[in-house]
Amino acid sequence: MAEILALVEARLRTALGEPDARAAVTFLGTDRIEVLRFIDGDIVRYATLGMSAQPMSDPTAALADPVKGPRAELVLSVRGGLADTDQVLRKLAVLAASPQVEGLVVAPGASLDVGEPLWPGAPFTSVLVAEGGGLVADLELDEPAEPVRFLPLLPMTHNEAAWKRVRGAQELQERWLSQGTDLRDPLRHSVTLD
């Protein structure tokens, strides 16, 4: 586990540079989750470290496989200086612990909801999990372990989350794209939905 997390942190540093801050959260009965903060100009990136220590497993499985199964870390990018987005650290740790706590398998297209604003004044309580491989490349592990995927999180307003449940993740992402939505704006409003 420690070896995997060392490789994951090295991949994050290679892709995003040196973190300027880190916080650790431990929930009862779970492994420690860290959140690293990276500054890139006016963009602030938060990446979890610890979610990939164990593979995610189907909650209906009688026994969790200690090696096989998808592994992931979460990455959130926002414009700095517009809101107190550092308050998202604990919420990201909660999301990263959800596979251990709730038996969730976090995959692209999924919605994750923390039930409260992601940071003070945020119009978002949930995120859409996007496809990985862009900002931070997948980290290959020795067989039979699956690679660690670095999954971007896209904040959703209540209306967008409801629309996504009905129409699907792909249609919501197409709507954002067609309207030129700045998904990094921590104070943005919901896109026009019909």
Side-chain angles (χ1 to χ4, degrees), residues 9-192:
E9 184 169 351
R11 176 59 54 95
L12 287 168
R13 287 172 183 266
T14 299
L16 305 176
E18 287 299 310
D20 80 319
R22 64 192 311 144
V25 180
T26 304
F27 302 100
L28 187 63
T30 67
D31 296 324
R32 183 170 91 157
I33 302 288
E34 289 188 82
V35 180
L36 310 181
R37 184 180 70 187
F38 301 86
I39 307 289
D40 181 14
D42 70 334
I43 302 298
V44 180
R45 291 193 171 90
Y46 302 94
T48 63
L49 178 63
M51 182 177 171
S52 62
Q54 305 294 329
M56 294 179 273
S57 59
D58 183 345
T60 62
L63 188 61
D65 190 308
V67 179
K68 292 182 183 176
R71 294 176 190 260
E73 295 291 353
L74 308 174
V75 180
L76 173 69
S77 300
V78 294
R79 293 203 181 285
L82 302 176
D84 186 11
T85 56
D86 282 349
Q87 298 297 315
V88 78
L89 298 174
R90 184 166 178 79
K91 285 139 184 133
L92 284 177
V94 167
L95 295 177
S98 62
Q100 290 181 54
V101 174
E102 300 174 35
L104 292 178
V105 175
V106 177
S111 299
L112 302 174
D113 196 317
V114 295
E116 60 184 327
L118 293 176
W119 49 82
F124 321 105
T125 63
S126 63
V127 293
L128 174 65
V129 181
E131 285 289 338
L135 184 61
V136 184
D138 292 352
L139 173 64
E140 297 294 330
L141 299 175
D142 293 336
E143 293 287 337
E146 293 183 30
V148 176
R149 301 181 71 201
F150 298 88
L151 302 174
L153 299 180
L154 308 175
M156 293 187 293
T157 65
H158 291 293
N159 288 344
E160 291 168 343
W163 201 76
K164 182 257 175 196
R165 281 191 294 277
V166 174
R167 305 289 286 270
Q170 184 65 36
E171 284 200 35
L172 178 58
Q173 289 178 300
E174 287 171 7
R175 180 59 56 105
W176 282 335
L177 187 61
S178 70
Q179 294 188 20
T181 306
D182 181 2
L183 296 173
R184 295 175 178 170
D185 181 351
L187 300 173
R188 75 172 179 83
H189 298 290
S190 183
V191 294
T192 304

